[in-house]
Amino acid sequence: MLRPPSMSIIQNRLLSTSRLCLNNNTPSTGDKSKSQAIADVDNLLNETSNFHANSFSNRSKDRMFDISVKHPRDVAKLIRVQGPVAGRSVDVQYGNFARSLSSMFSVIRSNKIRYLKKIQARHIPPAKLRKQKKREWWRRKFSLGFKELMAQVRDAKRRGY
Amino acid sequence: MTSPARSADPIAFTTSPTTPDETISNIIDPRLKSQSLKGRKNEQVVLWKLYGSFHRHNTLLSMVAVVEDLDFMEKNDHLTYNEKVLYYMQLPHHVKLHVSAGQLGFRKAQRAEYEAAYQVSSRMFKQIEEKGLLGPNDKVELVLKDFGRGREAFLAALQGKEGSRIRPNIVRISDNTKLRFGGSRPKKLRRL
């Protein structure tokens, strides 16, 4: 599998050396360059043999396989929790049960689990559901605005108006 | 199959090196067989789960032991790797205690009341203590389902005097309320 890259390296280098030989085609330097090219090829072959020795000889097949295979227990621990519990679990930290309970409540509130459970219990016709959603949106908005107004009134009263 | 081939196979997971006289893999080890016949199981309780179902009509609590067989890998050499992972993913759950409002003498609509749920919870905590199920370092997970009146009663009992023994062992709380995504049409709205 890892053979093609090394072969291509050899081919490239051989090509470059042959190009050098072609460029220096004057008769006086011909013999010299030829001997040099042969020496280069020998060096290159030595290098590649070293490359092979370093990458493969000290790694057996079994050892590589041992690293990749985990104990089934460890694999099972890494698999995500599925079903309704996923995303609705809270760990108790430092033995503080009350605090984890309150964070559990906040998870339930933010995901509207109780509300959804309630409206899913009985069938609501689509037109009614649409109106119900509008009504709920309006009431929520109104109560927010009213609270804000009351806060303003209280603030003004505190200042002596 | 010869023994050197088995030991070289990395998926075999043999903890002890096999001697040449126990090389036949499709025959169950007689020692293991005799162990299982005697009923001596090398099992360990990994954690406890306290399941609570608080629906409109009743409160149900069950104490469940999540058990791991310590010899599972040796006993089930024939299983595939994925099957072994599935075993560890969903370890066997053994129900040790179960209490519901009907068991305590609450009948019909009385089972749905707050008081019934409070008594169910306190009975459960008392039985856990009496039977000595929990050690000092045992872990308990709470798995709560649905939003009946019993849920508040259970949490009140757990945070009060009744649950003082079990409370320090709780390591996780989770909500298991099932929500629908599409599906069949629910019942029509009740008109009273």
Side-chain angles (χ1 to χ4, degrees):
Chain A
M1 232 174 111
L2 284 153
R3 213 167 190 129
S6 62
M7 287 301 285
S8 66
I9 290 165
I10 298 165
Q11 278 174 354
N12 286 338
R13 293 209 182 171
L14 279 172
L15 278 171
S16 63
T17 47
S18 60
R19 232 174 276 140
L20 272 170
C21 294
L22 285 170
N23 289 341
N24 307 332
N25 55 358
T26 47
S28 59
T29 55
D31 289 0
K32 223 180 187 179
S33 64
K34 214 175 201 175
S35 62
Q36 205 181 358
I38 288 161
D40 280 352
V41 168
D42 282 343
N43 285 337
L44 280 170
L45 282 171
N46 287 336
E47 268 178 38
T48 48
S49 65
N50 281 337
F51 174 69
H52 275 279
N54 288 337
S55 54
F56 296 112
S57 68
N58 57 359
R59 234 192 243 181
S60 70
K61 201 184 169 190
D62 287 351
R63 217 181 121 202
M64 280 173 80
F65 202 66
D66 274 356
I67 295 161
S68 61
V69 173
K70 286 180 185 169
H71 192 277
R73 191 196 282 109
D74 301 330
V75 176
K77 273 180 190 169
L78 293 175
I79 292 170
R80 284 183 194 172
V81 177
Q82 290 181 337
V85 181
R88 292 194 216 151
S89 301
V90 174
D91 288 339
V92 178
Q93 286 175 333
Y94 309 114
N96 197 341
F97 179 73
R99 191 181 171 171
S100 60
L101 202 63
S102 68
S103 64
M104 181 79 213
F105 284 144
S106 75
V107 167
I108 288 167
R109 208 180 307 120
S110 63
N111 291 307
K112 295 199 279 182
I113 292 163
R114 195 171 186 162
Y115 167 77
L116 287 171
K117 186 73 194 171
K118 197 187 152 207
I119 66 162
Q120 283 177 358
R122 294 282 171 174
H123 176 72
I124 310 167
K128 266 196 166 180
L129 183 67
R130 206 161 52 234
K131 280 160 201 159
Q132 188 181 320
K133 274 182 177 174
K134 261 186 195 173
R135 187 174 63 238
E136 279 162 3
W137 175 81
W138 177 259
R139 288 175 76 93
R140 214 180 315 126
K141 194 183 139 219
F142 182 83
S143 86
L144 263 179
F146 191 73
K147 270 177 200 164
E148 226 165 73
L149 184 71
M150 288 309 287
Q152 277 177 14
V153 169
R154 245 180 283 118
D155 200 43
K157 209 177 165 188
R158 186 178 55 80
R159 286 178 186 175
Y161 283 105
Chain B
M1 222 190 231
T2 53
S3 79
R6 277 192 71 193
S7 59
D9 186 9
I11 316 174
F13 284 112
T14 45
T15 49
S16 57
T18 49
T19 49
D21 54 323
E22 358 170 330
T23 50
I24 305 161
S25 63
N26 58 350
I27 293 173
I28 301 164
D29 188 354
R31 283 175 304 166
L32 290 176
K33 206 173 182 183
S34 65
Q35 266 185 4
S36 65
L37 282 173
K38 278 173 194 168
R40 268 190 290 142
K41 284 177 186 172
N42 193 8
E43 283 184 344
Q44 188 195 11
V45 176
V46 182
L47 80 150
W48 295 87
K49 280 188 180 178
L50 183 51
Y51 284 93
S53 176
F54 313 98
H55 53 83
R56 271 180 64 210
H57 303 299
N58 203 340
T59 301
L60 309 147
L61 292 177
S62 31
M63 187 71 172
V64 171
V66 180
V67 168
E68 184 192 337
D69 188 359
L70 295 175
D71 297 332
F72 178 78
M73 295 300 271
E74 289 89 71
K75 278 182 190 168
N76 298 285
D77 214 18
H78 61 284
L79 291 183
T80 63
Y81 186 77
N82 285 359
E83 281 167 340
K84 283 169 187 167
V85 171
L86 281 174
Y87 170 78
Y88 284 107
M89 219 173 98
Q90 186 67 54
L91 288 167
H93 288 43
H94 297 319
V95 179
K96 297 291 179 186
L97 284 174
H98 180 82
V99 186
S100 63
Q103 286 178 10
L104 306 185
F106 291 97
R107 286 284 169 249
K108 302 278 177 179
Q110 288 177 328
R111 289 182 292 223
E113 284 168 8
Y114 183 95
E115 181 54 30
Y118 199 89
Q119 285 194 26
V120 164
S121 329
S122 56
R123 169 67 71 91
M124 176 53 104
F125 301 145
K126 205 177 160 193
Q127 280 195 358
I128 289 168
E129 209 182 317
E130 278 171 2
K131 292 204 172 185
L133 292 181
L134 292 180
N137 294 320
D138 280 6
K139 293 171 181 174
V140 181
E141 272 189 33
L142 287 186
V143 184
L144 312 175
K145 200 173 94 178
D146 292 347
F147 296 93
R149 260 165 290 174
R151 189 161 171 144
E152 290 130 54
F154 172 74
L155 291 175
L158 189 59
Q159 285 176 299
K161 186 163 64 67
E162 289 90 346
S164 59
R165 284 295 185 85
I166 186 181
R167 216 184 309 136
N169 294 33
I170 293 169
V171 291
R172 181 178 281 181
I173 314 167
S174 40
D175 180 72
N176 196 22
T177 307
K178 287 183 179 65
L179 295 177
R180 320 165 69 113
F181 288 83
S184 57
R185 179 171 164 159
K187 280 183 171 182
K188 71 173 166 53
L189 205 64
R190 266 183 98 196
R191 274 184 294 180
L192 297 168

